[in-house]
């Protein structure tokens, strides 16, 4: 499990890969459509897609002459379970924290 968690978190560490996952939340996409909004080569996007595929976060399949990417949300299950272990700590109320800081800094 640790190796797969390491792979998933390493894949999620990159903002381009997180953006790709967010795009794939909507629907399956052709690789060329995935690459379109990014200012990088198709080869660079393909490397990002390979990392996401190896982490199990997406799958790729060829339909005709077009390669399609599909989100695999179950791959995040182990990571989510691991992160929920930290849920025992109360969430920070940012509004209250901001008010506290404003009061403290004013004094």
């Amino acid at each position: 499990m640790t190796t797969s968690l390491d792979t998933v978190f390493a894949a999620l560490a990159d903002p381009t890969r997180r953006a790709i996952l967010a795009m794939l939340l909507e629907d399956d996409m052709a690789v060329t459509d995935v690459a379109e909004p990014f200012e990088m080569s198709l080869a660079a996007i393909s490397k990002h897609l390979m990392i996401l595929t190896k982490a199990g976060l997406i799958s790729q399949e060829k339909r005709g002459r077009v390669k399609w990417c599909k989100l695999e949300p179950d791959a995040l299950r182990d990571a989510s379970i691991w992160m929920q272990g930290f849920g025992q700590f109360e969430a920070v109320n940012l509004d209250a924290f901001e008010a506290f800081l404003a009061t403290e800094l004013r004094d």
Side-chain angles (χ1 to χ4, degrees), residues 67-87:
K67 196 173 215 179
W68 286 79
C69 301
K70 177 184 177 186
L71 184 67
E72 296 294 342
D74 287 346
L76 289 173
R77 183 177 294 130
D78 286 343
S80 178
I81 291 168
W82 183 83
M83 289 186 296
Q84 286 175 7
F86 296 95

Side-chain angles (χ1 to χ4, degrees), residues 5-53:
L5 273 181
D6 291 348
T7 305
V8 167
F9 282 119
L12 294 173
D14 186 274
T16 300
R17 292 191 285 269
R18 290 192 306 271
I20 291 169
L21 291 175
M23 291 167 48
L24 292 173
L25 275 171
E26 298 296 319
D27 200 2
D28 299 358
M29 295 178 75
V31 170
T32 52
D33 293 333
V34 170
E36 194 263 316
F38 299 100
E39 292 186 17
M40 62 181 71
S41 69
L42 189 56
I45 288 294
S46 292
K47 287 181 183 180
H48 284 294
L49 294 175
M50 187 56 62
I51 291 167
L52 291 169
T53 301

Side-chain angles (χ1 to χ4, degrees), residues 46-66:
S46 292
K47 287 181 183 180
H48 284 294
L49 294 175
M50 187 56 62
I51 291 167
L52 291 169
T53 301
K54 286 182 180 179
L57 295 168
I58 68 168
S59 59
Q60 296 183 61
E61 69 173 315
K62 199 148 187 166
R63 299 180 196 163
R65 294 187 297 168
V66 179

